[in-house]
């Protein structure tokens, strides 16, 4: 395999020709239609919004910045416009059980009208009822009843007095009833007179008294019957008069709402309550109560709020189905609440203080929520699932659910729920909910998966230009020239880390549009040019690259040890990517390897110190697999090696440095000096193939800045996987240095090419006899491995006290097995070669014939 040549400058960056755009500025372009590059998600959204079956709520999964929220609002609003407005909902008083208010359903706009009609009726009754009770006709009928009662009572009293007179008694009316007294002649009989009478006369008076008492009792009973009858007649008169007034008003409402049985039943209850509580509509001269005065309403009349209508949801002015975006989905904001007010140290409430939530407003339409906000608000997610499962929404205060001792409160009737929930979140949240929440899988059956990138095609580029124009138009910004649009497209490719793709992180694209427009305005330009975009990008980086500048300063001062010149054994320049949230940059690091006697194998220092992530640990284990497959087919491995990142004190994660670690290990085993003016990134598999990695642009630019700070020599560069060439979107400064021959990039496919670049030696292809040509990388590595094995054998002999060439078989060896030999010298001091006759096995020391037990010789 030939040694790679430096990549041409044209391969380091995609340059978009402004001439591909058939416009001068974005002002000429129409607004962008739909979403750019989200065909899969758009199709899923359209299907999910059209299907009305239960369980087909939508989860929009995607990383922040891909335009999910904006698209959800626009598409849902568009679909909702095609659907009819849902019904109104209202709460009214339950006259049979005031603790359970009744919910009523009316066509759009009728609930508000019903509330006005009922208020109007009550107002009319407050005027009409007092007027009719003050009328002459009512007074006449009331007086007739009173006159009849009076006459009946007078006749009864006259009859009673006659009966008393016949029995020799007189009657006297007191507050406690009638008092009888015997008379003699024309004066009452005193106690002395009564005692002076004979026994027969006294007995006669006592008998007459008892007879008279019976007559008095019967007369009083008859009078009470007459009074009760009179009260009933008066009450019936009042009811008849009230019905005469209220009946037509209530009937008028009945006629207007004759198609709604729940409303008719409620109006029947209203009419009964009005007739039974006429005193609330009749003005009186009673003084205000102490409670009324303390409440600050000394002149307030009776409370008639029970006849009000609490309109929960009014859709009279809605155009289509409702679309509710709840930005703060707390439990109460979603499900409503029963509010309270304090009076005299107590908390009171009634049905008029019931407040609806987002689910009530979105009923019959669409509710858009942010998944993270719902999940982090206590009880909101559990209650939302319950509402979707049961198909109804209940208004219950959280305190009532968590209170140890239940207390009396309102229990409003539930509202039937038919709503399409659109929840927006990250792919991780979707994965966790789908895996661990069984209800989620049943309720959110539609997944709209938003991608981070789309293909870089002429159609998409044209849509990108239209998007830039739409942002300028909506934000009142300066429009972009086509050279500026070309620069935005290039920036999009860098965000996507692929020249064949465009990023769909439109929030970041919009930020660049806003900032470039601001830069152009400061320059007094009329349109935004490419240099304005470049300045905006530069200033954006400058606002966030403080840590990168610190790292580069420490490298330049040799505080962080990174060599950019010379050669070293067992040392390679690797490059990591540091992510500080809003900015990523490449951080060169020294990777070293040390090899010695032992059987520990390849030891990952970072893993032993618990600074290695799982992926990085896997990458180090792959190095051992490569050594086994490449160098342990003829001789076993007998070495102890350590690999580590120098001056790295945070967790090391990822396998993008595994190729550099393998090069450092091979260099240390074969004592091969490696160039320090080259840095390396890429992962390697067990077959030595170099695999692509992420953050390629940041890594190259990070090492370039380190070299630039110390002076570019023309030999410096970075080795990258060949499969990462399509990801290169380097800054113009790096491309210009490559054009001048001051900095180079090499694309490699295998570890063979990497070692040839770093060492300057050919890697060495395995010959038919299993050996490698002299003065090649593989020859030196194998020689180093055999030398380590030979030293292990020698050390073992010395430890056992056996002289050279006089070693006896071990007691565990089978009969006739020769003593453990030493390794024979091979060509150029390398390992021994197999016998020429092609016999299997290998030559034991001092013997020319194959021994057939290669595995036991060391």
């Amino acid at each position: 395999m030939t040694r790679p040549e430096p990549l041409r400058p044209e391969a380091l960056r995609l340059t978009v020709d402004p001439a591909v755009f058939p416009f001068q500025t974005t002002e000429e372009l129409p607004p962008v239609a739909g979403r750019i590059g989200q065909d899969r998600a758009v199709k899923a959204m359209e299907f999910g919004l059209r299907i009305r079956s239960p369980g087909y709520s939508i989860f929009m999964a995607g990383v922040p910045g891909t335009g999910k929220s904006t698209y959800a609002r626009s598409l849902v609003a568009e679909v909702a416009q095609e659907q009819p407005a849902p019904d109104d909902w209202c709460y009214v008083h339950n006259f049979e059980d005031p603790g359970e208010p009744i919910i009523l359903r009316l066509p759009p706009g009728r609930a508000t009208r019903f509330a006005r009609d009922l208020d109007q009726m009550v107002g009319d009754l407050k005027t009409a009822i007092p007027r009719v009770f003050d009328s002459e006709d009512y007074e006449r009928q009331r007086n007739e009843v009173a006159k009849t009662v009076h006459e009946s009572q007078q006749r009864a009293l006259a009859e009673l007095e006659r009966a008393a007179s016949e029995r020799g008694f007189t009657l006297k009316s007191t507050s406690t009833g009638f008092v009888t007294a015997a008379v003699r002649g024309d004066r009452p009989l005193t106690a002395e007179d009564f005692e002076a009478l004979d026994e027969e006369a006294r007995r006669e008076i006592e008998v007459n008294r008892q007879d008279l008492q019976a007559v008095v009792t019967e007369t009083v009973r008859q009078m009470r019957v007459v009074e009760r009858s009179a009260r009933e007649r008066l009450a019936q008169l009042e009811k008849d008069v009230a019905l005469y007034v209220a009946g037509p008003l209530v009937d008028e409402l009945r006629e207007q709402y004759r198609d709604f049985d729940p409303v008719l039943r409620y109006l029947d209850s209203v009419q009964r309550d009005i007739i039974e509580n006429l005193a609330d509509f009749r003005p009186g001269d009673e003084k205000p109560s102490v409670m009324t005065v303390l409440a600050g309403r000394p002149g307030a009349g009776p409370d008639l709020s029970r006849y009000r209508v609490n309109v929960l949801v009014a859709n009279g002015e809605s155009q289509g189905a409702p679309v509710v975006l709840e930005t703060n989905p707390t439990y109460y904001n979603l499900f409503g609440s029963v509010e309270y007010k304090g009076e005299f140290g107590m908390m009171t409430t009634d049905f008029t203080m019931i407040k609806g939530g987002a689910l009530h407003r979105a009923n019959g339409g669409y509710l858009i929520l942010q998944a993270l906000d719902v999940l982090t608000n206590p009880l909101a997610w559990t209650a939302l699932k319950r509402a979707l499962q049961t198909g109804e929404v209940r208004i219950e205060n959280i305190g009532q659910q968590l209170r140890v001792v239940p207390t009396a409160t309102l229990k409003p009737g539930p509202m039937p729920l038919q709503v399409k929930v659109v929840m927006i979140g990250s792919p991780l949240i979707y994965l966790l909910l789908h895996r661990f929440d069984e209800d989620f899988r049943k309720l959110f059956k539609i997944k709209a998966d938003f991608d981070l990138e789309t293909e870089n095609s002429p159609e998409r580029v044209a849509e990108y230009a239209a998007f830039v124009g739409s942002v300028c138009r909506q934000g009142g910004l300066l429009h972009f020239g086509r050279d500026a649009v070309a620069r935005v497209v290039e920036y999009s490719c860098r965000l996507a880390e692929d020249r064949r793709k465009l990023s769909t992180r439109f929030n970041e694209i919009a930020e660049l549009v806003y900032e470039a427009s601001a830069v152009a305005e400061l320059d007094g330009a009329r349109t935004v040019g490419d240099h304005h975009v470049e300045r905006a990008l530069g200033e954006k980086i400058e606002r966030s690259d403080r840590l990168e500048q610190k790292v580069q300063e420490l490298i330049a001062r040799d505080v962080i040890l990174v060599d950019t010149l010379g050669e070293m054994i067992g040392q390679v320049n690797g490059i990591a990517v540091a992510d500080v949230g809003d900015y990523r940059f490449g951080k060169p690091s020294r990777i070293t390897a040390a090899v010695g006697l032992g059987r520990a194998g390849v030891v990952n220092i970072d893993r032993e110190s618990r600074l290695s992530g799982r992926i990085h640990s896997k990458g180090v284990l792959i190095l051992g697999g490569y050594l086994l497959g490449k160098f342990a087919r003829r001789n076993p491995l007998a070495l102890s090696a350590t690999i580590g990142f120098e001056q790295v004190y945070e967790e090391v994660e990822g396998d993008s440095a595994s190729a550099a670690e393998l090069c450092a290990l091979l260099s240390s085993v074969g004592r091969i000096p490696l160039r320090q003016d080259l840095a390396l990134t890429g992962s390697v598999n067990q077959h030595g193939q170099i695999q692509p990695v992420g953050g390629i642009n940041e890594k190259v630019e990070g090492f370039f800045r380190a070299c630039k700070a110390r002076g570019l020599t023309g030999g410096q560069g970075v080795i990258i996987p060949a499969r990462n060439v399509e990801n290169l979107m380097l800054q113009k400064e790096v491309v210009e240095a490559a054009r001048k021959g001051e900095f180079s990039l090499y694309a490699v496919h295998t570890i063979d090419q990497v070692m040839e670049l770093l060492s300057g030696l050919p890697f060495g292809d395995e010959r038919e006899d299993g050996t490698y040509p002299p003065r090649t990388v593989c020859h030196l590595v194998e020689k180093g491995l055999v030398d380590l094995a030979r030293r292990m054998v020698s050390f073992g002999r010395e430890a056992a006290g056996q002289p050279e060439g006089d070693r006896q078989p071990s007691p565990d060896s089978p009969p006739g097995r020769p003593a453990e030999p030493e390794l024979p010298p091979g060509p150029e001091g390398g390992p021994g070669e197999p016998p020429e006759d092609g016999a299997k096995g290998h030559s034991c020391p001092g013997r020319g014939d194959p021994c057939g037990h290669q595995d036991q010789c060391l």
Side-chain angles (χ1 to χ4, degrees):
M1 184 175 292
T2 59
R3 187 173 302 176
E5 295 295 328
L7 294 175
R8 293 178 300 131
E10 294 77 13
L12 307 185
R13 175 188 177 90
L14 173 67
T15 302
V16 177
D17 186 1
V20 301
F21 298 109
F23 59 85
Q24 294 301 319
T25 68
T26 53
E27 189 175 9
E28 306 170 19
L29 300 177
V32 64
R35 300 306 300 171
I36 302 175
Q38 300 290 359
D39 296 340
R40 178 188 296 106
V42 169
K43 186 176 179 180
M45 284 290 295
E46 292 177 348
F47 175 77
L49 293 175
R50 301 293 179 181
I51 189 170
R52 305 303 299 175
S53 302
Y56 283 87
S57 289
I58 302 171
F59 192 99
M60 302 177 67
V63 300
T66 52
K68 301 184 301 297
S69 300
T70 303
Y71 177 64
R73 290 194 298 267
S74 61
L75 180 61
V76 172
E78 179 181 340
V79 174
Q81 289 292 325
E82 304 172 3
Q83 300 175 5
D87 293 336
D88 291 350
W89 295 89
C90 60
Y91 276 107
V92 294
H93 183 67
N94 188 342
F95 294 98
E96 296 180 359
D97 188 356
E100 297 185 5
I102 301 171
I103 190 167
L104 297 179
R105 180 176 188 171
L106 291 167
R110 297 295 294 276
T112 305
R113 179 180 171 184
F114 180 58
R116 290 197 303 264
D117 292 343
L118 205 59
D119 288 343
Q120 182 64 40
M121 186 193 75
V122 172
D124 293 343
L125 290 175
K126 290 169 67 176
T127 302
I129 289 178
R131 184 168 59 243
V132 75
F133 280 104
D134 291 339
S135 65
E136 293 181 358
D137 184 60
Y138 172 75
E139 288 296 330
R140 179 182 58 78
Q141 295 184 56
R142 181 181 178 86
N143 290 337
E144 288 179 358
V145 174
K147 180 180 179 181
T148 301
V149 172
H150 180 71
E151 291 175 351
S152 298
Q153 290 178 340
Q154 291 301 319
R155 285 194 300 270
L157 288 174
E159 184 64 26
L160 183 59
E161 289 177 355
R162 184 186 62 77
S165 177
E166 291 176 352
R167 291 168 175 79
F169 284 87
T170 61
L171 290 174
K172 183 178 181 182
S173 178
T174 66
S175 60
T176 59
F178 291 102
V179 178
T180 60
V183 294
R184 286 292 182 182
D186 56 354
R187 68 181 182 83
L189 189 65
T190 64
E192 291 80 5
D193 294 339
F194 182 79
E195 292 296 331
L197 296 175
D198 56 24
E199 183 67 26
E200 184 66 24
R202 289 200 299 268
R203 186 180 298 110
E204 181 182 359
I205 291 174
E206 189 63 33
V207 171
N208 290 336
R209 184 191 301 279
Q210 292 177 1
D211 290 344
L212 180 58
Q213 187 63 40
V215 174
V216 169
T217 301
E218 178 62 22
T219 302
V220 170
R221 187 189 66 79
Q222 292 178 358
M223 293 176 63
R224 288 176 177 172
V225 170
V226 171
E227 290 178 353
R228 183 166 58 251
S229 176
R231 287 196 299 271
E232 291 176 353
R233 291 175 60 187
L234 287 174
Q236 186 61 43
L237 175 61
E238 290 181 351
K239 290 182 179 179
D240 292 342
V241 172
L243 187 59
Y244 171 78
V245 177
L249 296 176
V250 177
D251 288 342
E252 183 179 350
L253 292 183
R254 287 195 181 99
E255 178 63 23
Q256 295 180 26
Y257 299 93
R258 63 181 180 273
D259 297 330
F260 310 106
D261 292 338
V263 177
L264 295 179
R265 290 193 294 270
Y266 170 71
L267 291 176
D268 292 341
S269 300
V270 169
Q271 180 173 301
R272 287 194 299 270
D273 189 77
I274 291 173
I275 293 174
E276 292 171 1
N277 296 278
L278 286 173
D280 291 344
F281 293 90
R282 299 174 62 182
D285 56 357
E286 66 275 5
K287 295 181 180 179
S289 65
V290 175
M291 303 294 283
T292 305
V293 174
L294 291 176
R297 298 181 285 108
D303 185 11
L304 300 178
S305 61
R306 62 184 180 277
Y307 303 119
R308 294 178 56 191
V309 176
N310 181 6
V311 179
L312 202 67
V313 179
N315 291 312
E317 298 182 359
S318 300
Q319 301 296 326
V323 178
V324 177
L325 173 64
E326 182 54 64
T327 57
N328 184 25
T330 63
Y331 177 87
Y332 289 128
N333 286 349
L334 285 176
F335 299 94
S337 62
V338 179
E339 296 181 347
Y340 289 80
K341 61 182 178 180
E343 287 186 352
F344 318 114
M346 298 182 296
M347 303 302 293
T348 62
T349 187
D350 58 42
F351 78 98
T352 62
M353 302 180 70
I354 299 173
K355 306 300 180 183
L359 278 172
H360 298 90
R361 300 192 304 273
N363 195 17
Y366 303 89
L367 176 61
I368 303 175
L369 301 170
Q370 290 290 337
L372 184 61
D373 295 337
V374 176
L375 294 172
T376 53
N377 274 293
L379 302 181
W381 174 239
T382 302
L384 177 61
K385 291 190 298 181
R386 186 188 308 119
L388 295 176
Q389 288 171 331
T390 60
E392 62 180 26
V393 54
R394 292 180 178 271
I395 299 178
E396 298 174 330
N397 285 350
I398 293 180
Q400 185 66 21
Q401 300 179 24
L402 303 180
R403 191 174 289 122
V404 177
V405 179
T407 58
T409 185
L410 294 182
K411 295 182 179 179
M415 173 193 290
L417 183 65
Q418 185 179 6
V419 66
K420 178 79 68 176
V421 177
V422 178
M423 201 151 65
I424 304 170
S426 67
L428 177 61
I429 292 178
Y430 178 85
L431 176 63
L432 293 175
L433 289 174
H434 193 273
R435 179 170 297 179
F436 298 109
D437 193 329
E438 295 181 0
D439 297 331
F440 176 80
R441 296 195 293 269
K442 300 175 183 178
L443 298 173
F444 289 82
K445 297 179 181 178
I446 301 296
K447 176 186 178 182
D449 195 359
F450 279 70
D451 200 352
L452 274 173
E453 58 190 22
T454 183
E455 67 275 8
N456 185 355
S457 64
E459 294 78 10
R460 289 287 185 258
V461 171
E463 292 174 350
Y464 237 79
F467 171 77
V468 173
S470 296
V471 173
C472 296
R473 200 170 290 110
Q474 294 170 4
L477 310 177
L478 296 178
H479 278 278
F480 277 49
R482 58 183 184 177
D483 57 337
V485 174
R487 186 64 188 92
V488 172
V489 173
E490 294 173 6
Y491 177 68
S492 176
C493 292
R494 179 175 173 107
L495 287 180
E497 296 190 75
D498 194 334
R499 293 189 299 213
R500 296 169 299 181
K501 300 290 183 179
L502 294 175
S503 174
T504 56
R505 290 151 63 180
F506 293 106
N507 277 7
E508 296 192 35
I509 300 299
E511 289 176 6
L512 177 60
V513 172
Y514 273 87
E515 293 169 13
S517 176
V519 171
E521 288 182 2
L522 292 176
D523 278 355
R526 302 181 63 179
T527 59
V528 180
D530 58 349
H531 57 289
H532 297 130
V533 178
E534 288 287 352
R535 280 179 52 191
L537 286 173
E539 293 177 6
K540 183 180 181 69
I541 293 174
E542 187 177 358
R543 292 193 295 269
S544 304
D545 69 346
R546 180 181 61 84
L547 290 180
E548 181 184 21
Q549 296 299 328
K550 291 290 185 181
V551 170
Q552 292 294 339
E553 179 184 351
L554 294 176
I555 292 175
R557 293 166 51 191
D558 282 336
V559 177
I560 296 178
L561 302 180
V562 175
D563 292 332
T564 58
L565 294 173
E567 295 181 341
M568 292 290 293
I569 294 176
Q571 178 175 305
V572 178
N573 289 325
I575 318 172
V577 174
D579 193 335
V580 294
D582 60 339
Y583 184 65
R584 299 196 312 167
F585 63 92
K587 179 185 176 184
S589 299
R590 175 181 289 179
I591 299 174
T592 59
V595 176
L597 297 180
R599 296 184 181 274
V602 181
V603 177
N604 180 3
I605 293 177
D606 296 295
R607 181 179 182 275
E608 296 300 316
S609 59
R610 298 184 179 180
L611 288 176
S612 175
R614 294 181 178 181
I615 300 176
H616 178 252
S617 298
K618 175 186 175 182
V620 175
L621 291 175
I622 287 176
L623 307 186
Y626 176 81
L627 292 178
L628 285 173
K630 190 74 173 176
F631 300 107
R633 289 178 299 178
R634 299 175 59 247
N635 299 292
L637 291 178
L639 82 161
S640 292
T642 58
I643 296 178
F645 281 76
E646 305 294 346
Q647 293 182 291
V648 174
Y649 308 105
E650 63 273 3
E651 183 181 75
V652 179
E653 182 58 306
D655 63 349
S656 64
S658 59
E661 292 169 329
L662 179 57
C663 291
L665 181 61
L666 296 177
S667 169
S668 185
V669 171
R671 310 304 296 168
I672 304 171
L674 300 181
R675 293 174 58 182
Q676 300 301 297
D677 56 356
L678 293 179
L680 169 61
T681 182
S683 68
V684 67
N685 60 25
Q686 295 186 95
H687 299 293
Q689 296 172 323
I690 303 299
Q691 302 168 143
V693 295
I696 194 70
N697 295 297
E698 290 81 1
K699 292 176 178 179
V700 172
E701 291 163 359
F703 190 70
F704 170 78
R705 293 189 182 100
C707 295
K708 181 181 177 182
R710 293 179 173 177
L712 297 174
T713 63
Q716 296 151 332
V718 178
I719 303 172
I720 66 171
R723 294 173 178 85
N724 276 126
V725 173
E726 293 292 340
N727 306 116
L728 290 176
M729 281 297 297
L730 298 174
Q731 295 178 357
K732 292 183 177 180
E733 181 185 20
V734 182
V735 177
E736 189 60 28
R739 195 181 309 277
K740 295 178 181 179
E742 298 174 345
F743 194 79
S744 302
L745 265 74
Y746 302 91
V748 296
H749 294 274
T750 64
I751 198 69
D752 310 19
Q753 296 174 307
V754 178
M755 286 299 295
E756 289 181 358
L757 284 170
L758 291 175
S759 67
L761 298 175
F763 189 74
D765 295 327
E766 186 176 7
R767 296 185 293 198
E768 293 182 0
D769 58 1
T771 62
Y772 296 97
R775 291 178 294 279
T776 63
V777 171
C778 290
H779 174 80
L780 294 175
V781 171
E782 189 171 39
K783 177 182 176 182
L785 290 172
V786 172
D787 182 63
L788 290 172
R790 183 182 295 110
R791 292 175 183 274
M792 282 290 295
V793 171
S794 175
F795 179 80
R797 289 171 177 169
E798 293 176 2
Q802 297 180 0
E804 287 289 335
D806 191 25
R807 190 174 179 202
Q808 300 297 322
S810 65
D812 297 333
S813 300
R817 178 177 174 177
E820 187 170 355
E822 63 178 351
L823 291 174
E828 300 293 334
E833 299 181 1
E836 296 181 358
D837 58 2
K840 295 183 179 180
H842 69 286
S843 299
C844 286
R847 297 176 57 185
D849 57 327
C851 68
H853 52 78
Q854 175 179 352
D855 293 341
Q856 287 81 23
C857 282
L858 290 180

